[in-house]
Amino acid sequence: MEEVFGGLVVVVTGASQGIGKAICLELARQRPKLVLAARDEAALERVAAACSAAGAETLVVPTDVTFEAACRRLVERAALRFGGIDMLVANAGMSMWSRLGEVEDLGLYERLFRLNVLGCVYPTYYALPHLKRSKGRIVGVSSVAGLNGVPTRTGYSATKHALFGFFDSLRIELKDDGVSVTVAAPDFVVSEIHRRAAGPDGKPLGESPMQEGKIMSAEECARRIVRAAARRDRLWIGSFRGRVGRFVKLVAPGLVDAIAARAIRERR
Ligand SMILES: NC(=O)c1ccc[n+]([C@@H]2O[C@H](COP(=O)([O-])OP(=O)(O)OC[C@H]3O[C@@H](n4cnc5c(N)ncnc54)[C@H](OP(=O)(O)O)[C@@H]3O)[C@@H](O)[C@H]2O)c1
């Protein structure tokens, strides 16, 4: 893989675990300046220590991305410490596992939109002047659930569709600025997201319902996302069914719906 991130300043949200953590570790080998953001400071420090050991310079900025002021501060601290920003990976997110009719508190939908959508909009907005100066890169982490509906995921899928609208529009706006926008759409990946997904009562499930041995590892997902960002690809889709589903949907949308329903039924 072409190594383009040496010495570059990369801000990653959701860096404390899962795919964000794996992206930091994947990048670290190239010796970038990594800015790690999430809420769990102790976990961020552990990831930062591992990244430093691999060769990166690191800055930990505890951040709740659902707050605009916190995202402004994240960007300010990154720029102050490292003199600019070359890439933003807007990755923080959460999921759900409940049919609409079973959801007990619609506040869940507000939480999902605040984190998954506004939690990408805020850091992107504040990082934009720096990214224009560096002709940098933006990576937005959506999902295959952003390309097609998925049962038990009405709110999650809606937020991930929203990210396609946001980042695809932004890519056009930034065309003349030399800033690339890569949207990553993983399929199921082993991470904390399934255990932490909100059930009908809005609380985390506590245990992952997935067949974890049969889905992509966070490390593999991170490798693919970093490669797509390095090449400035516009889109990376994490599975064959996701890639092909886009085209099948045009002629046989019911078939794609059936594949989505089976994925949830079989938990892989
Ligand atoms: N795993 C999958 O199957 C899968 C598939 C498709 C797409 N994705 C997407 O990939 C992204 C990463 O998910 P993951 O699977 O790695 O999940 P994960 O293991 O649960 O990690 C989620 C990350 O987001 C952070 N986060 C949560 N709430 C936050 C907040 N309010 N402010 C700042 N950070 C926050 C978490 O850190 P703290 O708790 O420390 O804040 C954590 O670092 C998400 O956008 C997800 O939708 C995942």
Side-chain angles (χ1 to χ4, degrees):
M1 188 200 332
E2 202 192 343
E3 303 210 335
V4 300
F5 296 108
L8 298 192
V9 182
V10 183
V11 178
V12 181
T13 70
S16 61
Q17 56 192 19
I19 296 169
K21 171 184 171 183
I23 288 173
C24 290
L25 291 167
E26 174 65 24
L27 286 168
R29 298 182 299 106
Q30 299 187 36
R31 300 177 172 268
K33 295 167 179 158
L34 279 178
V35 183
L36 296 88
R39 293 164 305 170
D40 184 339
E41 187 170 3
L44 287 175
E45 292 290 358
R46 286 193 293 276
V47 179
C51 291
S52 301
E57 267 186 75
T58 59
L59 172 69
V60 164
V61 186
T63 307
D64 184 334
V65 295
T66 63
F67 291 99
E68 182 185 338
C71 295
R72 190 178 62 224
R73 184 173 157 273
L74 164 65
V75 167
E76 283 169 358
R77 290 212 38 208
L80 191 68
R81 169 71 181 273
F82 293 127
I85 298 176
D86 298 290
M87 177 158 84
L88 169 71
V89 183
N91 162 76
M94 67 170 287
S95 189
M96 64 185 289
W97 196 298
S98 178
R99 287 173 181 266
L100 175 64
E102 293 163 358
V103 171
E104 292 167 19
D105 178 355
L106 288 174
L108 171 60
Y109 286 74
E110 198 173 324
R111 278 163 56 205
L112 284 161
F113 272 86
R114 285 187 68 84
L115 174 55
N116 293 2
V117 182
L118 295 178
C120 288
V121 173
Y122 295 152
T124 304
Y125 174 80
Y126 286 105
L128 212 50
H130 301 284
L131 292 165
K132 284 183 179 174
R133 263 195 297 280
S134 62
K135 300 199 182 305
R137 295 169 165 84
I138 298 170
V139 177
V141 181
S142 177
S143 166
V144 288
L147 293 164
N148 204 76
V150 179
T152 74
R153 299 286 198 283
T154 49
Y156 179 74
S157 177
T159 63
K160 294 299 178 178
H161 275 75
L163 288 187
F164 268 100
F166 176 70
F167 286 115
D168 283 348
S169 303
L170 184 62
R171 183 185 302 106
I172 304 169
E173 292 184 1
L174 294 176
K175 190 170 179 295
D176 295 333
D177 293 297
V179 181
S180 57
V181 179
T182 300
V183 180
D187 203 309
F188 292 134
V189 172
V190 179
S191 76
E192 297 303 307
I193 202 168
H194 312 293
R195 186 177 64 73
R196 297 176 99 192
D201 60 3
K203 300 206 176 82
L205 294 180
E207 269 179 41
S208 170
M210 303 307 301
Q211 293 203 57
E212 304 229 319
K214 298 193 171 164
I215 62 178
M216 185 180 277
S217 70
E219 292 72 22
E220 178 65 18
C221 180
R223 261 193 302 280
R224 307 283 182 98
I225 291 175
V226 168
R227 187 176 59 184
R231 293 175 179 166
R232 296 184 184 266
D233 289 345
R234 60 187 287 144
L235 175 63
W236 171 71
I237 301 176
S239 63
F240 179 73
R241 65 185 172 198
R243 286 187 290 275
V244 171
R246 287 200 302 156
F247 302 104
V248 176
K249 192 174 174 178
L250 299 172
V251 287
L255 177 59
V256 179
D257 289 354
I259 291 169
R262 195 178 64 193
I264 294 299
R265 214 170 38 245
E266 296 185 352
R267 295 160 187 245
R268 66 187 176 113

